[in-house]
Amino acid sequence: MKRIFLLLMLLPVVIFAQVKSKKTTETKPADGYTISGTVTGYEDGATVALLNGQTGAQLDQTTITKGKFSFIGKMDEPDFRILLFNGQPPFITLFLDNSNLKIKGDKVTLDHAVVTGSVTNKIFTEYNNEITPYQYLFNDDAPYDSVAIEKAAAISENFAKKYPNSDVAAFAVIRFNQVTEDEKTTEELYNSLTESVKGSGLGKYIAQVIADAQRTPIGSKVPDFTQTDTAGNPVSLSSFRGKYVLVDFWASWCRPCRAENPNVVANYDKYKNKNFTVLSVSLDQAKPAWLDAIKMDGLAWTNVSDLRGWSNAVAQQFGIINIPQNILVAPDGTLAGKNLRGPKLNRRLSRLLK
């Protein structure tokens, strides 16, 4: 569920990792769904795969005969599904529920196929049409655009309030939180949803986001700490007061950490002259390996460690149980961000350090 809000951007990357296919031959289950499709432009025998919209895993497969195809199944709850033709985009995105769907489209304009017969998918199409002009905001490398963010947030907020009993509303709340990172309003929107929507997979994801935010809310005071640097000198977080500081937890033996380091370096180089720096806390035990990794990865900022591995005092203080992980501390010592990995780091810094 962690990546559900990236659904429409991730699919072109993940959809090709498919599992063994099967033909749909069973009778429609009680309270299940049917998908009846008519498409032009494909030869007989062209494949149509039904994919999980969250993972890209193939759930079912059939073939086109005389321009027609069909699927039969049952959904435990409405969820995203993808119809992929001949293993390549464009594809059709569905918010599938247990309805009798009819699809009509053409190979050239497949992503604009007409889907009827499902209330849930109709609501999703309505939301998607409204948010499309601002779809780029949900890309990891999206530029900061306060006007567009405000408009996308308003669309998502209004939509969630309009359809509180639809699972699509939960998706709109996720989108709202993604562009605004407004934890308070996200919680208010979540509370406006019906209990059945709160209990859905999307609803549970929002609840998890809210719970995480409440444990360490943005704007809360970040406790100070002191640890020694590579030369054995004590360094305190408070000594960086007045700057944005990314406290980055890592280790030389951690492959994901080493893979993330170039991203941290790039952002450091980009923003170091804009009141930003990095303070790396290593969960190493062997000092030579720690120093070698610092030099190899070009970590040209302050690095500290007590060389106690997972028992590192600062890691214990902040409840770090996996790495890489980080927190962004504002100039006044309050929390300005957390878990800013990959493009998310640049996106947050670009908002703060204009």
Side-chain angles (χ1 to χ4, degrees), residues 34-322:
T34 62
I35 300 174
S36 301
T38 301
V39 292
T40 56
Y42 288 100
E43 296 180 356
D44 283 2
T47 61
V48 185
L50 181 67
L51 309 180
N52 184 305
Q54 299 180 36
T55 66
Q58 182 173 295
L59 304 175
D60 205 345
Q61 181 169 296
T62 189
T63 56
I64 296 175
T65 302
K66 295 182 180 179
K68 298 184 181 297
F69 69 91
S70 64
F71 288 100
I72 295 172
K74 186 174 183 178
M75 300 293 293
D76 294 328
E77 62 182 44
D79 201 356
F80 286 104
R81 293 291 183 264
I82 302 299
L83 291 176
L84 183 68
F85 295 74
N86 273 342
Q88 59 186 6
F91 48 82
I92 298 175
T93 305
L94 304 173
F95 209 134
L96 185 60
D97 57 11
N98 289 318
S99 300
N100 296 317
L101 281 78
K102 294 186 181 299
I103 298 173
K104 187 174 183 179
D106 180 79
K107 180 179 181 180
V108 177
T109 58
L110 199 59
D111 50 343
H112 292 92
V114 176
V115 181
T116 57
S118 165
V119 173
T120 301
N121 195 77
K122 181 179 179 181
I123 294 173
F124 169 66
T125 300
E126 179 184 338
Y127 175 70
N128 206 37
N129 288 340
E130 290 186 37
I131 206 71
T132 291
Y134 312 103
Q135 191 69 40
Y136 69 93
L137 294 174
F138 304 106
N139 296 327
D140 282 334
D141 58 351
Y144 179 71
D145 185 336
S146 60
V147 175
I149 288 173
E150 184 177 348
K151 291 181 178 179
I155 289 171
S156 299
E157 181 175 0
N158 293 336
F159 203 88
K161 292 178 178 178
K162 182 179 179 180
Y163 296 106
N165 62 340
S166 171
D167 289 67
V168 184
F171 181 62
V173 174
I174 292 171
R175 287 302 207 195
F176 174 88
N177 181 71
Q178 186 183 357
V179 293
T180 66
E181 298 174 341
D182 181 346
E183 297 167 349
K184 180 180 179 181
T185 305
T186 296
E187 183 173 3
E188 292 173 355
L189 290 174
Y190 169 78
N191 289 334
S192 72
L193 303 176
T194 61
E195 291 303 315
S196 61
V197 175
K198 289 180 182 178
S200 69
L202 294 173
K204 290 177 181 177
Y205 171 76
I206 302 171
Q208 179 184 330
V209 169
I210 294 171
D212 290 343
Q214 291 175 339
R215 280 194 291 270
T216 53
I218 300 297
S220 60
K221 199 72 174 179
V222 177
D224 196 15
F225 63 81
T226 300
Q227 204 151 91
T228 55
D229 63 15
T230 57
N233 301 313
V235 177
S236 297
L237 174 62
S238 57
S239 67
F240 296 92
R241 190 63 55 84
K243 288 188 174 185
Y244 281 97
V245 184
L246 184 75
V247 181
D248 187 41
F249 295 90
W250 75 296
S252 66
W253 43 261
C254 168
R255 291 186 179 181
C257 301
R258 303 295 295 275
E260 177 67 12
N261 277 345
N263 178 56
V264 181
V265 169
N267 280 278
Y268 174 76
D269 290 341
K270 183 176 182 179
Y271 296 106
K272 64 183 179 182
N273 295 322
K274 294 186 177 182
N275 207 37
F276 170 75
T277 191
V278 180
L279 174 60
S280 286
V281 180
S282 172
L283 276 63
D284 273 284
Q285 290 181 295
K287 189 170 184 178
W290 175 41
L291 297 179
D292 286 346
I294 292 173
K295 182 178 180 180
M296 186 179 302
D297 293 0
L299 311 186
W301 50 75
T302 303
N303 289 267
V304 299
S305 181
D306 59 12
L307 299 175
R308 294 172 56 191
W310 284 108
S311 296
N312 181 288
V314 180
Q316 295 284 310
Q317 177 180 339
F318 286 89
I320 301 300
I321 59 174
N322 56 71

